[in-house]
Amino acid sequence: MPKGKIKADNNKITWVFSRIATIIIAVLAVLQPIINFSWRIVFVSVNSGTFAGFSEILLAIMLVNAVFLTVVAFVKTTGKDILGKRFIRIIYIISFSLTILFTILNTIYIITTTGDIYAFYQLLRLAPYLAVLFGALFFVCVFPRIKKGRAVVGGVLIAVITIALLISAAGALVFRFASEPLVIDTGEGYRIVWATNAPSKGWVEYTYQGENHTVYHTESGRTVAERIHRVDVPYSHLDGSSYTVHARRVIDELGYGGQLGRTISSNTYNFRGEIKDDMVIWSLSDWHHEIEKLYSTVEYMDEPDVVILLGDYVNAMYEERDIIKYILAPAAKITNGSCPVIFARGNHETRGGYANELGTALGMDTYYHEVVRGKYRFIVLDTNEDKPDNHIEYGGMADFAPYRKEQGEWLAALPQTDAEYVVVVAHDPELCIEEEQAAVWVEELKRLGASFQLSGHHHKSEIFEENDILTILDGGRFTAKINNRKRKVFVGTEIKVSGENIAITAYDNLGNTYLNETHGIAK
């Protein structure tokens, strides 16, 4: 017998070195670091009972062990007797024993944490990675020995591995901003809102009077792991200043401990928030997902000092993606995070199972409020739906009448001020479907000295007197006749305030002009 080798036939545990045994123990070994990682909720407890970092060392050993046993299994399937060498056999026996020990240890993890569903969820999240791993192992170790149906098995296997690889790569590697920052004027200060494509912790950095400020998105003192982030900043801190937004991916949050991923940072945004006596206002509404036409339309308009968003950005609110893709991302893109936005809700933002989450995402308790800046007073109203609450369209999920009455009471409580320009912001120019309540709103707006009203909803560009208040109607998305052809367009409105006059111009995404009028306003 050659030196350094031993006959396996004379070994009482020959089965341990068989091909099937090496494959089984390799599969078990590969599973151990995956299970251990999924059940890392116990890491803190294990580390506190041993020493800091013990769990990470254990995980590293499991990974090395899995690689070694996978190599052994692969070589065995080729017919070579890799375990004939004494030192490899000894390492194999140690590795085999460690795998059994790790399996027992991880089984204890599972048994002791069965009440924590999150651990099982983590394992489920790793399913695409497992598919890639075991698909590759099958392809290398088993597939070459298949005699019948190789083409079918190979095709299915390649398809599964490819899909799993794409899912794994997207989940593990792609972390980005899903929206640039949008600066909403809340009436009490600025709220910077932005989004990422995965749960993360977010914060804003800026400098005010030579002092660096870092403000996190928190709730009751705890940083928030969400896709949509919001941070409040005082007017004085942001006006004429610059800021950056940041996010760090949150891989998971555990009862004890957790894990964070990489950090991404935005460009620097120079914010011009000063409300001037004479300024340019953009009034935009009713784009209903037509964001590309929106982008083209604003290219024809002068740089705004403030942007009024009047609602109906979506057809309905079904998921968080609707907020990010059709509200945050387009509004942030057209303002470039550099001027304030005044936000109003349209009737379509009240529809769909995710409608109630819009306020949470934007940090708004109600959608009616006022913004008083310089000589301007913006009174923002929430006109809700345009049909009775029992209308079949709402599926029994509407109770807006008391909310509209509440707004009437709020309007009645507002004091008169010396603001020179009182601008009413309301999605529906009719304000209320209840005539009695509408009369209350109108009388209060007149008492407050309404200069003009900005509305949308009707999908046409028009200027008219509504209840003795000059009303500028945004076009939004509609079909227009251009050069004797019907074209789907998006029309936005630009208002230039100068002294006692406002110049109103409306443009569509093709550069056509719909309004070009100058009106005197009451001051």
Side-chain angles (χ1 to χ4, degrees):
M1 180 178 67
K3 186 178 180 180
K5 293 197 175 185
I6 186 170
K7 287 186 178 179
D9 291 342
N10 297 328
N11 199 309
K12 294 182 179 179
I13 54 170
T14 303
W15 62 272
V16 171
F17 307 105
S18 65
R19 180 190 301 169
I20 188 65
T22 58
I23 293 174
I24 291 173
I25 202 66
V27 170
L28 272 176
V30 168
L31 279 173
Q32 298 323 300
I34 295 169
I35 294 173
N36 188 271
F37 183 75
S38 298
W39 264 263
R40 58 194 179 282
I41 189 171
V42 300
F43 275 16
V44 175
S45 299
V46 172
N47 283 342
S48 63
T50 52
F51 58 87
F54 173 77
S55 295
E56 286 76 7
I57 293 173
L58 196 63
L59 180 61
I61 294 172
M62 288 181 183
L63 287 167
V64 173
N65 185 63
V67 170
F68 170 73
L69 288 176
T70 300
V71 171
V72 170
F74 169 69
V75 175
K76 284 286 287 185
T77 58
T78 64
K80 295 181 180 179
D81 189 17
I82 188 175
L83 296 178
K85 297 181 185 250
R86 185 183 297 274
F87 75 94
I88 294 180
R89 183 184 290 257
I90 292 172
I91 295 173
Y92 174 78
I93 292 173
I94 293 172
S95 191
F96 190 101
S97 302
L98 282 174
T99 301
I100 299 300
L101 178 62
F102 292 153
T103 302
I104 294 172
L105 183 62
N106 283 331
T107 301
I108 294 172
Y109 282 3
I110 294 172
I111 292 173
T112 56
T113 59
T114 50
D116 198 323
I117 302 300
Y118 189 78
F120 293 92
Y121 168 68
Q122 291 301 308
L123 188 60
L124 182 63
R125 252 191 356 177
L126 292 171
Y129 305 94
L130 287 172
V132 172
L133 185 59
F134 287 110
L137 287 174
F138 182 88
F139 193 80
V140 171
C141 299
V142 180
F143 182 73
R145 282 146 192 83
I146 295 177
K147 302 300 182 184
K148 294 182 179 180
R150 282 172 61 90
V152 175
V153 174
V156 171
L157 192 60
I158 291 172
V160 169
I161 292 176
T162 301
I163 293 171
L165 272 172
L166 291 173
I167 295 174
S168 303
L173 302 177
V174 180
F175 178 52
R176 58 178 177 81
F177 288 113
S179 163
E180 295 180 82
L182 173 69
V183 182
I184 297 175
D185 192 326
T186 67
E188 298 178 351
Y190 294 124
R191 178 167 297 133
I192 303 173
V193 186
W194 72 101
T196 56
N197 70 319
S200 59
K201 60 183 291 186
W203 66 96
V204 170
E205 292 181 355
Y206 65 91
T207 301
Y208 174 65
Q209 293 185 343
E211 182 180 348
N212 295 327
H213 290 259
T214 299
V215 187
Y216 285 90
H217 175 197
T218 63
E219 289 184 10
S220 303
R222 187 176 186 275
T223 53
V224 177
E226 293 179 357
R227 289 179 173 84
I228 299 175
H229 292 292
R230 56 194 177 275
V231 165
D232 289 337
V233 179
Y235 286 128
S236 59
H237 283 214
L238 208 58
D239 283 342
S241 185
S242 61
Y243 68 95
T244 54
V245 297
H246 310 265
R248 187 171 185 184
R249 187 168 190 171
V250 176
I251 295 174
D252 55 22
E253 295 182 273
L254 307 175
Y256 301 91
Q259 188 169 4
L260 302 177
R262 72 185 186 93
T263 299
I264 53 177
S265 300
S266 73
N267 297 324
T268 298
Y269 295 90
N270 297 313
F271 189 75
R272 50 181 203 284
E274 181 186 0
I275 299 296
K276 301 176 292 187
D277 290 354
D278 297 342
M279 67 174 180
V280 177
I281 301 172
W282 285 1
S283 182
L284 303 165
S285 73
D286 299 276
W287 57 69
H288 290 277
H289 299 177
E290 295 281 1
I291 55 178
E292 294 302 325
K293 287 185 173 66
L294 166 69
Y295 299 152
S296 298
T297 296
V298 299
E299 289 293 322
Y300 297 99
M301 300 162 73
D302 291 339
E303 185 177 68
D305 296 300
V306 63
V307 175
I308 311 293
L309 299 181
L310 281 162
D312 278 10
Y313 321 104
V314 297
N315 293 324
M317 307 289 296
Y318 292 113
E319 55 183 347
E320 188 177 47
R321 175 178 174 272
D322 294 322
I323 299 175
I324 297 172
K325 183 174 181 179
Y326 299 116
I327 300 177
L328 288 184
K333 183 173 180 177
I334 63 175
T335 60
N336 194 32
S338 61
C339 74
V341 162
I342 294 176
F343 183 91
R345 181 171 71 163
N347 59 303
H348 280 267
E349 280 77 60
T350 70
R351 303 184 181 192
Y354 208 78
N356 287 342
E357 301 303 320
L358 176 60
T360 302
L362 301 181
M364 304 178 75
D365 295 327
T366 64
Y367 294 97
Y368 63 89
H369 62 284
E370 66 170 340
V371 175
V372 181
R373 303 295 309 282
K375 294 183 178 181
Y376 290 83
R377 186 183 196 182
F378 297 92
I379 298 176
V380 184
L381 298 171
D382 185 6
T383 57
N384 318 138
E385 279 291 6
D386 57 356
K387 302 175 184 67
D389 288 343
N390 61 1
H391 195 280
I392 191 171
E393 240 178 64
Y394 309 147
M397 296 300 290
D399 188 28
F400 291 115
Y403 183 56
R404 283 189 284 263
K405 183 179 179 182
E406 176 186 310
Q407 289 184 71
E409 294 169 351
W410 172 75
L411 278 172
L414 289 179
Q416 290 178 308
T417 68
D418 57 358
E420 294 189 13
Y421 308 100
V422 178
V423 184
V424 180
V425 177
H427 176 70
D428 189 341
E430 283 78 28
L431 302 179
C432 277
I433 63 167
E434 300 93 356
E435 291 184 7
E436 182 179 348
Q437 194 57 236
V440 172
W441 286 29
V442 170
E443 286 307 309
E444 293 304 330
L445 291 172
K446 288 180 179 179
R447 176 183 65 83
L448 295 168
S451 304
F452 60 94
Q453 177 176 323
L454 299 175
S455 292
H457 188 58
H458 288 296
H459 294 258
K460 60 182 178 180
S461 188
E462 192 176 344
I463 301 174
F464 55 87
E465 291 280 339
E466 180 75 20
N467 302 310
D468 297 325
I469 299 174
L470 179 69
T471 299
I472 303 166
L473 201 64
D474 271 337
R477 182 193 69 179
F478 66 93
T479 301
K481 194 171 184 179
I482 302 173
N483 297 327
N484 295 320
R485 288 181 56 197
K486 288 185 177 181
R487 299 285 299 270
K488 290 183 177 179
V489 297
F490 176 83
V491 176
T493 309
E494 175 186 274
I495 301 109
K496 293 182 177 179
V497 182
S498 178
E500 296 183 357
N501 296 311
I502 54 173
I504 306 155
T505 311
Y507 302 92
D508 71 12
N509 54 290
L510 303 173
N512 299 302
T513 302
Y514 289 73
L515 296 174
N516 191 3
E517 301 180 19
T518 299
H519 287 259
I521 56 174
K523 293 178 65 177

mmCIF file of all heavy atoms in Angstrom, residues 278-304:
data_model
loop_
_atom_site.group_PDB
_atom_site.id
_atom_site.type_symbol
_atom_site.label_atom_id
_atom_site.label_comp_id
_atom_site.label_asym_id
_atom_site.label_seq_id
_atom_site.Cartn_x
_atom_site.Cartn_y
_atom_site.Cartn_z
ATOM 1 N N ASP A 278 -42.829 89.869 -5.861
ATOM 2 C CA ASP A 278 -43.148 89.463 -7.232
ATOM 3 C C ASP A 278 -42.499 88.108 -7.472
ATOM 4 O O ASP A 278 -41.289 87.949 -7.286
ATOM 5 C CB ASP A 278 -42.606 90.473 -8.243
ATOM 6 C CG ASP A 278 -43.234 91.846 -8.088
ATOM 7 O OD1 ASP A 278 -44.302 91.928 -7.449
ATOM 8 O OD2 ASP A 278 -42.660 92.820 -8.595
ATOM 9 N N MET A 279 -43.311 87.152 -7.859
ATOM 10 C CA MET A 279 -42.729 85.816 -8.033
ATOM 11 C C MET A 279 -43.463 85.012 -9.088
ATOM 12 O O MET A 279 -44.546 85.379 -9.553
ATOM 13 C CB MET A 279 -42.708 85.066 -6.705
ATOM 14 C CG MET A 279 -44.053 84.702 -6.135
ATOM 15 S SD MET A 279 -43.843 83.675 -4.659
ATOM 16 C CE MET A 279 -45.540 83.401 -4.199
ATOM 17 N N VAL A 280 -42.838 83.876 -9.444
ATOM 18 C CA VAL A 280 -43.396 82.966 -10.438
ATOM 19 C C VAL A 280 -43.965 81.747 -9.717
ATOM 20 O O VAL A 280 -43.279 81.091 -8.916
ATOM 21 C CB VAL A 280 -42.317 82.508 -11.450
ATOM 22 C CG1 VAL A 280 -42.902 81.496 -12.439
ATOM 23 C CG2 VAL A 280 -41.744 83.704 -12.189
ATOM 24 N N ILE A 281 -45.219 81.440 -10.003
ATOM 25 C CA ILE A 281 -45.901 80.290 -9.402
ATOM 26 C C ILE A 281 -46.231 79.302 -10.512
ATOM 27 O O ILE A 281 -46.784 79.687 -11.548
ATOM 28 C CB ILE A 281 -47.205 80.713 -8.690
ATOM 29 C CG1 ILE A 281 -46.919 81.731 -7.579
ATOM 30 C CG2 ILE A 281 -47.937 79.498 -8.126
ATOM 31 C CD1 ILE A 281 -48.175 82.336 -6.973
ATOM 32 N N TRP A 282 -45.896 78.050 -10.302
ATOM 33 C CA TRP A 282 -46.382 76.987 -11.187
ATOM 34 C C TRP A 282 -47.603 76.356 -10.538
ATOM 35 O O TRP A 282 -47.582 76.025 -9.341
ATOM 36 C CB TRP A 282 -45.336 75.893 -11.371
ATOM 37 C CG TRP A 282 -44.199 76.253 -12.272
ATOM 38 C CD1 TRP A 282 -43.985 77.428 -12.928
ATOM 39 C CD2 TRP A 282 -43.103 75.400 -12.631
ATOM 40 N NE1 TRP A 282 -42.837 77.377 -13.661
ATOM 41 C CE2 TRP A 282 -42.268 76.136 -13.496
ATOM 42 C CE3 TRP A 282 -42.753 74.099 -12.294
ATOM 43 C CZ2 TRP A 282 -41.098 75.599 -14.032
ATOM 44 C CZ3 TRP A 282 -41.588 73.555 -12.823
ATOM 45 C CH2 TRP A 282 -40.771 74.302 -13.692
ATOM 46 N N SER A 283 -48.653 76.163 -11.311
ATOM 47 C CA SER A 283 -49.853 75.484 -10.844
ATOM 48 C C SER A 283 -50.052 74.243 -11.712
ATOM 49 O O SER A 283 -50.243 74.353 -12.928
ATOM 50 C CB SER A 283 -51.058 76.426 -10.960
ATOM 51 O OG SER A 283 -52.222 75.803 -10.482
ATOM 52 N N LEU A 284 -49.986 73.064 -11.099
ATOM 53 C CA LEU A 284 -50.000 71.800 -11.849
ATOM 54 C C LEU A 284 -50.964 70.815 -11.212
ATOM 55 O O LEU A 284 -51.009 70.675 -9.989
ATOM 56 C CB LEU A 284 -48.593 71.192 -11.881
ATOM 57 C CG LEU A 284 -47.485 72.075 -12.467
ATOM 58 C CD1 LEU A 284 -46.118 71.517 -12.105
ATOM 59 C CD2 LEU A 284 -47.634 72.181 -13.984
ATOM 60 N N SER A 285 -51.720 70.117 -12.037
ATOM 61 C CA SER A 285 -52.664 69.131 -11.497
ATOM 62 C C SER A 285 -53.009 68.081 -12.540
ATOM 63 O O SER A 285 -52.687 68.226 -13.726
ATOM 64 C CB SER A 285 -53.957 69.830 -11.043
ATOM 65 O OG SER A 285 -54.732 70.235 -12.157
ATOM 66 N N ASP A 286 -53.662 67.044 -12.077
ATOM 67 C CA ASP A 286 -54.324 66.045 -12.934
ATOM 68 C C ASP A 286 -53.420 65.412 -13.985
ATOM 69 O O ASP A 286 -53.783 65.281 -15.152
ATOM 70 C CB ASP A 286 -55.530 66.683 -13.640
ATOM 71 C CG ASP A 286 -56.574 67.189 -12.667
ATOM 72 O OD1 ASP A 286 -57.413 66.386 -12.224
ATOM 73 O OD2 ASP A 286 -56.532 68.388 -12.311
ATOM 74 N N TRP A 287 -52.220 64.986 -13.565
ATOM 75 C CA TRP A 287 -51.403 64.322 -14.591
ATOM 76 C C TRP A 287 -51.695 62.825 -14.685
ATOM 77 O O TRP A 287 -51.338 62.188 -15.664
ATOM 78 C CB TRP A 287 -49.919 64.590 -14.408
ATOM 79 C CG TRP A 287 -49.264 64.237 -13.111
ATOM 80 C CD1 TRP A 287 -49.030 63.002 -12.606
ATOM 81 C CD2 TRP A 287 -48.697 65.161 -12.167
ATOM 82 N NE1 TRP A 287 -48.358 63.070 -11.413
ATOM 83 C CE2 TRP A 287 -48.133 64.394 -11.117
ATOM 84 C CE3 TRP A 287 -48.596 66.541 -12.096
ATOM 85 C CZ2 TRP A 287 -47.487 64.969 -10.024
ATOM 86 C CZ3 TRP A 287 -47.949 67.102 -11.009
ATOM 87 C CH2 TRP A 287 -47.401 66.323 -9.990
ATOM 88 N N HIS A 288 -52.350 62.248 -13.675
ATOM 89 C CA HIS A 288 -52.843 60.867 -13.799
ATOM 90 C C HIS A 288 -51.823 59.928 -14.456
ATOM 91 O O HIS A 288 -52.104 59.287 -15.479
ATOM 92 C CB HIS A 288 -54.144 60.823 -14.585
ATOM 93 C CG HIS A 288 -55.328 61.396 -13.865
ATOM 94 N ND1 HIS A 288 -56.072 60.685 -12.956
ATOM 95 C CD2 HIS A 288 -55.872 62.641 -13.905
ATOM 96 C CE1 HIS A 288 -57.045 61.447 -12.488
ATOM 97 N NE2 HIS A 288 -56.941 62.649 -13.041
ATOM 98 N N HIS A 289 -50.623 59.860 -13.888
ATOM 99 C CA HIS A 289 -49.547 58.970 -14.352
ATOM 100 C C HIS A 289 -48.792 59.494 -15.579
ATOM 101 O O HIS A 289 -47.762 58.922 -15.945
ATOM 102 C CB HIS A 289 -50.059 57.555 -14.678
ATOM 103 C CG HIS A 289 -50.663 56.851 -13.506
ATOM 104 N ND1 HIS A 289 -51.232 55.594 -13.618
ATOM 105 C CD2 HIS A 289 -50.810 57.211 -12.216
ATOM 106 C CE1 HIS A 289 -51.700 55.224 -12.429
ATOM 107 N NE2 HIS A 289 -51.457 56.200 -11.570
ATOM 108 N N GLU A 290 -49.270 60.549 -16.226
ATOM 109 C CA GLU A 290 -48.617 61.041 -17.456
ATOM 110 C C GLU A 290 -47.407 61.904 -17.103
ATOM 111 O O GLU A 290 -47.335 63.099 -17.450
ATOM 112 C CB GLU A 290 -49.618 61.837 -18.297
ATOM 113 C CG GLU A 290 -50.765 61.020 -18.840
ATOM 114 C CD GLU A 290 -50.376 60.218 -20.074
ATOM 115 O OE1 GLU A 290 -49.196 60.292 -20.477
ATOM 116 O OE2 GLU A 290 -51.241 59.528 -20.631
ATOM 117 N N ILE A 291 -46.425 61.306 -16.442
ATOM 118 C CA ILE A 291 -45.315 62.099 -15.931
ATOM 119 C C ILE A 291 -44.358 62.563 -17.033
ATOM 120 O O ILE A 291 -43.740 63.613 -16.908
ATOM 121 C CB ILE A 291 -44.554 61.334 -14.826
ATOM 122 C CG1 ILE A 291 -44.097 59.969 -15.309
ATOM 123 C CG2 ILE A 291 -45.427 61.191 -13.590
ATOM 124 C CD1 ILE A 291 -43.308 59.191 -14.265
ATOM 125 N N GLU A 292 -44.228 61.819 -18.096
ATOM 126 C CA GLU A 292 -43.337 62.252 -19.181
ATOM 127 C C GLU A 292 -43.863 63.521 -19.845
ATOM 128 O O GLU A 292 -43.099 64.424 -20.194
ATOM 129 C CB GLU A 292 -43.174 61.134 -20.217
ATOM 130 C CG GLU A 292 -42.440 59.902 -19.693
ATOM 131 C CD GLU A 292 -41.049 60.226 -19.164
ATOM 132 O OE1 GLU A 292 -40.381 61.114 -19.738
ATOM 133 O OE2 GLU A 292 -40.640 59.592 -18.177
ATOM 134 N N LYS A 293 -45.180 63.608 -20.008
ATOM 135 C CA LYS A 293 -45.774 64.827 -20.570
ATOM 136 C C LYS A 293 -45.614 65.991 -19.597
ATOM 137 O O LYS A 293 -45.410 67.142 -20.001
ATOM 138 C CB LYS A 293 -47.249 64.596 -20.893
ATOM 139 C CG LYS A 293 -47.494 63.712 -22.115
ATOM 140 C CD LYS A 293 -48.969 63.635 -22.438
ATOM 141 C CE LYS A 293 -49.228 62.897 -23.754
ATOM 142 N NZ LYS A 293 -48.856 61.486 -23.684
ATOM 143 N N LEU A 294 -45.706 65.699 -18.299
ATOM 144 C CA LEU A 294 -45.475 66.729 -17.281
ATOM 145 C C LEU A 294 -44.071 67.309 -17.428
ATOM 146 O O LEU A 294 -43.885 68.532 -17.423
ATOM 147 C CB LEU A 294 -45.658 66.134 -15.888
ATOM 148 C CG LEU A 294 -45.141 66.954 -14.706
ATOM 149 C CD1 LEU A 294 -45.990 68.207 -14.508
ATOM 150 C CD2 LEU A 294 -45.122 66.109 -13.428
ATOM 151 N N TYR A 295 -43.075 66.430 -17.551
ATOM 152 C CA TYR A 295 -41.689 66.880 -17.688
ATOM 153 C C TYR A 295 -41.515 67.779 -18.916
ATOM 154 O O TYR A 295 -40.806 68.788 -18.870
ATOM 155 C CB TYR A 295 -40.744 65.691 -17.795
ATOM 156 C CG TYR A 295 -40.742 64.774 -16.592
ATOM 157 C CD1 TYR A 295 -40.432 63.419 -16.720
ATOM 158 C CD2 TYR A 295 -41.049 65.248 -15.324
ATOM 159 C CE1 TYR A 295 -40.422 62.574 -15.626
ATOM 160 C CE2 TYR A 295 -41.046 64.409 -14.223
ATOM 161 C CZ TYR A 295 -40.733 63.071 -14.382
ATOM 162 O OH TYR A 295 -40.728 62.229 -13.291
ATOM 163 N N SER A 296 -42.153 67.408 -20.017
ATOM 164 C CA SER A 296 -42.022 68.197 -21.243
ATOM 165 C C SER A 296 -42.686 69.557 -21.092
ATOM 166 O O SER A 296 -42.180 70.571 -21.584
ATOM 167 C CB SER A 296 -42.643 67.441 -22.423
ATOM 168 O OG SER A 296 -41.960 66.222 -22.648
ATOM 169 N N THR A 297 -43.821 69.598 -20.399
ATOM 170 C CA THR A 297 -44.560 70.857 -20.244
ATOM 171 C C THR A 297 -43.760 71.902 -19.478
ATOM 172 O O THR A 297 -43.666 73.063 -19.902
ATOM 173 C CB THR A 297 -45.900 70.605 -19.521
ATOM 174 O OG1 THR A 297 -46.717 69.765 -20.336
ATOM 175 C CG2 THR A 297 -46.639 71.913 -19.256
ATOM 176 N N VAL A 298 -43.164 71.518 -18.351
ATOM 177 C CA VAL A 298 -42.475 72.509 -17.516
ATOM 178 C C VAL A 298 -41.208 73.042 -18.181
ATOM 179 O O VAL A 298 -40.675 74.078 -17.755
ATOM 180 C CB VAL A 298 -42.150 71.928 -16.115
ATOM 181 C CG1 VAL A 298 -43.431 71.535 -15.398
ATOM 182 C CG2 VAL A 298 -41.194 70.738 -16.206
ATOM 183 N N GLU A 299 -40.739 72.386 -19.245
ATOM 184 C CA GLU A 299 -39.584 72.885 -19.974
ATOM 185 C C GLU A 299 -39.875 74.234 -20.635
ATOM 186 O O GLU A 299 -38.966 75.016 -20.914
ATOM 187 C CB GLU A 299 -39.148 71.878 -21.044
ATOM 188 C CG GLU A 299 -38.515 70.606 -20.494
ATOM 189 C CD GLU A 299 -37.181 70.874 -19.818
ATOM 190 O OE1 GLU A 299 -36.421 71.731 -20.323
ATOM 191 O OE2 GLU A 299 -36.922 70.254 -18.776
ATOM 192 N N TYR A 300 -41.156 74.512 -20.877
ATOM 193 C CA TYR A 300 -41.539 75.761 -21.532
ATOM 194 C C TYR A 300 -41.834 76.882 -20.531
ATOM 195 O O TYR A 300 -42.152 78.007 -20.934
ATOM 196 C CB TYR A 300 -42.781 75.534 -22.407
ATOM 197 C CG TYR A 300 -42.537 74.556 -23.535
ATOM 198 C CD1 TYR A 300 -42.934 73.232 -23.429
ATOM 199 C CD2 TYR A 300 -41.892 74.964 -24.701
ATOM 200 C CE1 TYR A 300 -42.699 72.322 -24.449
ATOM 201 C CE2 TYR A 300 -41.656 74.062 -25.741
ATOM 202 C CZ TYR A 300 -42.060 72.741 -25.604
ATOM 203 O OH TYR A 300 -41.818 71.850 -26.624
ATOM 204 N N MET A 301 -41.715 76.581 -19.239
ATOM 205 C CA MET A 301 -42.076 77.548 -18.208
ATOM 206 C C MET A 301 -40.826 78.113 -17.536
ATOM 207 O O MET A 301 -39.793 77.459 -17.469
ATOM 208 C CB MET A 301 -43.001 76.865 -17.179
ATOM 209 C CG MET A 301 -44.285 76.340 -17.814
ATOM 210 S SD MET A 301 -45.183 75.100 -16.835
ATOM 211 C CE MET A 301 -45.853 76.120 -15.538
ATOM 212 N N ASP A 302 -40.938 79.351 -17.035
ATOM 213 C CA ASP A 302 -39.819 79.993 -16.350
ATOM 214 C C ASP A 302 -39.589 79.348 -14.982
ATOM 215 O O ASP A 302 -40.490 78.726 -14.405
ATOM 216 C CB ASP A 302 -40.097 81.492 -16.167
ATOM 217 C CG ASP A 302 -40.073 82.244 -17.483
ATOM 218 O OD1 ASP A 302 -39.468 81.730 -18.441
ATOM 219 O OD2 ASP A 302 -40.664 83.348 -17.549
ATOM 220 N N GLU A 303 -38.399 79.510 -14.457
ATOM 221 C CA GLU A 303 -38.040 78.912 -13.169
ATOM 222 C C GLU A 303 -39.004 79.390 -12.078
ATOM 223 O O GLU A 303 -39.227 80.582 -11.921
ATOM 224 C CB GLU A 303 -36.612 79.291 -12.805
ATOM 225 C CG GLU A 303 -36.108 78.614 -11.548
ATOM 226 C CD GLU A 303 -34.655 78.961 -11.264
ATOM 227 O OE1 GLU A 303 -34.385 80.139 -10.941
ATOM 228 O OE2 GLU A 303 -33.793 78.069 -11.370
ATOM 229 N N PRO A 304 -39.571 78.461 -11.313
ATOM 230 C CA PRO A 304 -40.581 78.853 -10.319
ATOM 231 C C PRO A 304 -39.963 79.263 -8.982
ATOM 232 O O PRO A 304 -38.878 78.829 -8.617
ATOM 233 C CB PRO A 304 -41.394 77.576 -10.155
ATOM 234 C CG PRO A 304 -40.371 76.482 -10.318
ATOM 235 C CD PRO A 304 -39.408 77.000 -11.371
#
